Amino acid sequence: MKVNTNQVLKVLYILSWIIFVGICVEAGGYLTNAVFAIVNPTIVKYLWHEVDLSALLKHSPEHFFTLVLTMSIVAILKAYLFYLIIAILSTKKLNLSQPFSKEVGRFIARLSYVPFMIGLFSWCGAKFTAWLVQQGVPMPDVQYLRLGGADVWLFMSVTLFVIAQIFRRGIELQTEHELTV
């Protein structure tokens, strides 16, 4: 049985939806938990799985909300990344017979900026967490805060940016070819 590109794209579309929903739940959880922390600070240690930020909240509510905001921004950007993927796959703007279209070029360019922002906020959040540890605040590992891997996100961003430039050149060549024919 031979698997064709359309079947693979359908599977990726379904997986993208599953990941998108999961990340949206995670981002919503961060924001909801921040509200619960305002209402009842004693339950902070029970809000996140494997993440106890009660010492941070006790140390400084401002630093607590800065870290929660950073975690939320990273989660929202991850959700936006998968939203972009879902949007291009669901709107049928991905024409496999003519892949070098302006729409796909814009998609890949836009896609390269989102991992850059994720990497930037993850890096800032990891540095902020390291600074808090230096201040004597017991903090969970950045992996549990979902702020680890900034270098991977930045590498992905650069890779997608290079691919976007290759697509841009492919679009130019395809346009020139269409004009000469």
Side-chain angles (χ1 to χ4, degrees):
M1 183 172 140
K2 187 174 179 181
V3 178
N4 65 23
T5 306
N6 285 332
Q7 291 171 328
V8 172
L9 288 175
K10 286 178 185 176
V11 169
L12 290 175
Y13 179 70
I14 293 167
L15 286 175
S16 296
W17 263 109
I18 292 169
I19 294 169
F20 174 72
V21 169
I23 294 173
C24 284
V25 168
E26 180 180 318
Y30 291 150
L31 296 172
T32 304
N33 290 340
V35 171
F36 279 122
I38 293 170
V39 175
N40 187 1
T42 60
I43 65 167
V44 170
K45 61 184 169 187
Y46 304 111
L47 294 179
W48 289 282
H49 180 66
E50 299 180 355
V51 178
D52 181 7
L53 296 175
S54 57
L56 177 59
L57 181 61
K58 189 182 293 181
H59 173 75
S60 169
E62 295 84 14
H63 290 138
F64 172 82
F65 289 108
T66 301
L67 184 62
V68 170
L69 180 65
T70 304
M71 292 166 51
S72 299
I73 289 171
V74 168
I76 290 167
L77 285 170
K78 287 177 184 177
Y80 180 63
L81 182 72
F82 280 94
Y83 169 77
L84 291 174
I85 293 169
I86 290 167
I88 194 76
L89 292 176
S90 66
T91 58
K92 309 295 184 212
K93 293 182 180 177
L94 184 63
N95 184 359
L96 295 179
S97 63
Q98 207 172 28
F100 291 103
S101 67
K102 289 185 179 186
E103 195 64 41
V104 174
R106 279 192 294 264
F107 163 73
I108 295 173
R110 202 174 317 141
L111 205 64
S112 70
Y113 300 130
V114 178
F116 177 76
M117 296 303 294
I118 294 170
L120 185 66
F121 278 100
S122 294
W123 179 79
C124 290
K127 291 295 181 185
F128 183 64
T129 303
W131 177 79
L132 289 169
V133 169
Q134 288 177 346
Q135 302 301 312
V137 180
M139 293 293 297
D141 190 51
V142 291
Q143 298 301 327
Y144 294 122
L145 297 173
R146 307 285 193 262
L147 295 174
D151 56 340
V152 175
W153 287 105
L154 294 172
F155 179 76
M156 181 178 160
S157 174
V158 170
T159 304
L160 286 171
F161 186 74
V162 169
I163 292 171
Q165 297 309 308
I166 292 169
F167 257 78
R168 179 180 286 170
R169 182 64 183 141
I171 292 166
E172 291 171 0
L173 290 173
Q174 184 171 308
T175 305
E176 289 175 11
H177 177 69
E178 289 171 356
L179 292 175
T180 57
V181 173

